[in-house]
Amino acid sequence: MPGSKSWALGCGIGLIGAALGTGCLQPPGSDDDASDDDAADDDASDDDAADDDVDPDLDVPAEDADHRIEGEASFDVAGWSLGVGDLLGDETDDLVVGAVGAALPTDTPDQHGYGYGRGAVFVLPGPPPHDLDSLDVAAVVLSGEVPGDGAGMAVALVPDVAGPGLSLAVGAPHNGRNGPWAGAVYVFPPGSAGSGRASLDTAPLILLGPSEGVQAGYSLAGGDFDGDGAGDLLVGAPGDALGTSSGVAFLLYGPLEPGVRSLGEAPVVIAGEGTFQMVGHAVASAGDVSGDGIDDVIVGAPDYGESTRGGAAIFFGPVGAGIREFRNADALILGDVADAPTGAGCAVAGLDDVDGDGWKDVAVGSCYAPGYSYTGVVHVVRGPLDGEIDLGEVPGRLVGETPSATFQGMSLAGHDLDEDGLGDLLVGIPGVAAPGLDAGSAYAWVGPFPDVESSLSDADVRFRPEGVGSWLGASLAPIRGWTDTAARGVAVGAPGYPDGVGRGGVYVFGWP
């Protein structure tokens, strides 16, 4: 995708927090009802492409993964978020794993697990050793400041946003420096993360949620949204912002300077117009959907609008300064009101051109979709995009496999997986109830996409879990050089592994 060399999938998993005992989106006392970006533009040989043709009707069990990388301890919830890119500057993909429940040895037992842990991110350098099986060999571990921060809810690897090269951004939406659940984002410019274990408060740049309950850093994305060649940072904050509880997304144009500052100073704020709309629940670079050569912004709001139909707003870059209302987006994608509440916008992703017409496309996930027994629905919305778009009128949709699956959320990521020039889509639904409750699954759908309703059970590749409670598919990213079976691979987070205990982990599969 334009302007990005890495994936930034953020939380991406919607309402999975409810399954862990605390709402993913509510600050304490709230009565509201309870992961991207782009892949590296790496070149591949024609031989690699020929070797990696997709087998139709292919199930890949988790037991066949090239690597199963487990969290360090029970309740770490590792794999909640993923990032991939050459973070260490050695021309190989590195893997960043968010573990929202991680604790330090000095923390008490009740300060561990989702909603309680300080959280951490683990940086694993590539290519990995053949026997890699645990995050305890990470080259860098950055822990949240205090228990309850939930650090690692989102990660983003953003090129040239704070100096030449990839910078690491880490979201901790429950951080309380500016009040309970105000949130924080920590930005490490290239080379500044060091090695070994450290606290996130060592970050050269710290961006703080402006007030209590904002939940800044719940989602993150990067891109070049003003076309100046420097990376820019998009921060989702779906909580109580601007005194409306509508949620917002903050856009900061790079290059960013070191320091500690409030996100209230961000030059661009994308905001809803009502209460509890969850604007900023998901954010991503849409790529250049307007065709002007500049990346565009997409922001999801799953409780937005009439009958909480949900939606996603696309603002064409460069986005003008000031408070920009969600409803005034250049392209406003709304959930199917006949099926409301749909939860449209719980996950969003920019796609390469999926149908060969020369326009970039986007994917929008609907996590409720009661008309489909809450299996969840993914719409591929084809460019050019402009004006108001009703998902009920968009031809073709991908429907989940099992009822109630997406109460635990959804993750989306776009990439040309088979390198045929058409965009492809990765979908994760961690609540799929096969072989048991919340086992999860991930899917690869290779473009072009159908114009009729289709089931994700018909995806070109389906990555299947080892057991119940794994939440496989909570996060997703393509990765290179990490498998013996293929030049390309797919990393899939499973934060509930094993059997819902919540140690968590990441599977890395070679592309079939």
Side-chain angles (χ1 to χ4, degrees):
M1 304 297 293
S4 180
K5 302 174 184 175
S6 64
W7 286 73
L9 296 168
C11 177
I13 50 181
L15 305 178
I16 191 171
L20 290 159
T22 60
C24 196
L25 288 176
Q26 290 82 18
S30 169
D31 60 359
D32 181 38
D33 291 336
S35 325
D36 302 172
D37 275 16
D38 304 330
D41 293 328
D42 298 314
D43 294 327
S45 69
D46 291 337
D47 288 341
D48 284 342
D51 290 341
D52 295 336
D53 286 342
V54 174
D55 248 351
D57 218 19
L58 185 59
D59 271 323
V60 181
E63 294 90 332
D64 290 349
D66 287 67
H67 298 285
R68 184 183 65 200
I69 310 165
E70 297 185 9
E72 286 192 301
S74 295
F75 309 114
D76 274 5
V77 201
W80 188 279
S81 62
L82 294 176
V84 170
D86 182 14
L87 185 64
L88 302 180
D90 56 3
E91 300 185 357
T92 61
D93 274 352
D94 307 310
L95 179 62
V96 181
V97 180
V100 296
L104 293 179
T106 53
D107 296 338
T108 61
D110 63 345
Q111 295 172 337
H112 202 176
Y114 178 81
Y116 307 99
R118 64 179 66 224
V121 293
F122 297 78
V123 180
L124 296 166
H130 292 290
D131 59 351
L132 176 64
D133 60 4
S134 174
L135 291 177
D136 62 11
V137 299
V140 181
V141 181
L142 301 167
S143 297
E145 293 187 61
V146 298
D149 274 7
M153 180 81 75
V155 298
L157 276 62
V158 185
D160 307 325
V161 69
L166 281 181
S167 293
L168 171 64
V170 180
H174 303 163
N175 177 271
R177 281 208 199 187
N178 270 355
W181 287 37
V185 178
Y186 305 86
V187 180
F188 291 85
S192 65
S195 60
R197 295 176 181 260
S199 171
L200 284 167
D201 65 8
T202 61
L205 172 61
I206 300 176
L207 303 167
L208 299 177
S211 60
E212 177 179 346
V214 171
Q215 298 180 72
Y218 183 83
S219 58
L220 296 170
D224 182 5
F225 301 117
D226 57 2
D228 66 352
D232 308 313
L233 182 63
L234 186 60
V235 178
D240 183 8
L242 305 181
T244 66
S245 300
S246 70
V248 300
F250 301 100
L251 176 57
L252 299 96
Y253 290 122
L256 302 178
E257 298 297 327
V260 179
R261 57 181 59 94
S262 170
L263 283 164
E265 303 169 8
V268 182
V269 179
I270 297 168
E273 309 85 46
T275 58
F276 303 113
Q277 295 178 336
M278 294 204 278
V279 174
H281 179 269
V283 298
S285 169
D288 178 20
V289 298
S290 61
D292 63 357
I294 299 175
D295 286 355
D296 304 315
V297 168
I298 183 168
V299 178
D303 278 0
Y304 179 83
E306 178 187 358
S307 303
T308 59
R309 64 195 297 189
I314 298 177
F315 290 86
F316 298 158
V319 184
I323 296 176
R324 304 295 303 274
E325 290 189 340
F326 193 88
R327 63 185 171 190
N328 293 330
D330 295 292
L332 182 61
I333 303 170
L334 295 173
D336 182 359
V337 71
D339 194 29
T342 71
C346 69
V348 295
L351 303 178
D352 289 316
D353 180 7
V354 302
D355 52 10
D357 66 353
W359 291 95
K360 299 289 186 180
D361 308 301
V362 299
V364 177
S366 297
C367 281
Y368 309 148
Y372 292 88
S373 301
Y374 301 95
T375 60
V377 175
V378 180
H379 287 87
V380 174
V381 187
R382 294 165 173 83
L385 302 176
D386 193 20
E388 187 172 303
I389 301 167
D390 187 336
L391 289 178
E393 300 174 0
V394 172
R397 63 192 67 188
L398 307 178
V399 180
E401 292 186 275
T402 63
S404 303
T406 47
F407 277 134
Q408 274 70 23
M410 182 186 295
S411 59
L412 299 174
H415 187 50
D416 183 5
L417 295 164
D418 59 352
E419 297 182 334
D420 65 350
L422 296 179
D424 308 316
L425 178 64
L426 291 169
V427 179
I429 300 184
V432 169
L437 183 65
D438 296 338
S441 282
Y443 311 85
W445 198 291
V446 175
F449 288 81
D451 287 328
V452 297
E453 183 177 302
S454 304
S455 171
L456 283 170
S457 62
D458 296 323
D460 295 275
V461 184
R462 299 174 298 276
F463 302 100
R464 298 303 195 185
E466 287 190 85
V468 300
S470 291
W471 304 319
L472 184 74
S475 54
L476 303 158
I479 192 167
R480 284 185 172 275
W482 274 64
T483 73
D484 296 327
T485 55
R488 305 187 303 279
V490 178
V492 183
Y497 171 89
D499 299 329
V501 172
R503 174 183 292 269
V506 181
Y507 295 90
V508 180
F509 301 90
W511 182 244

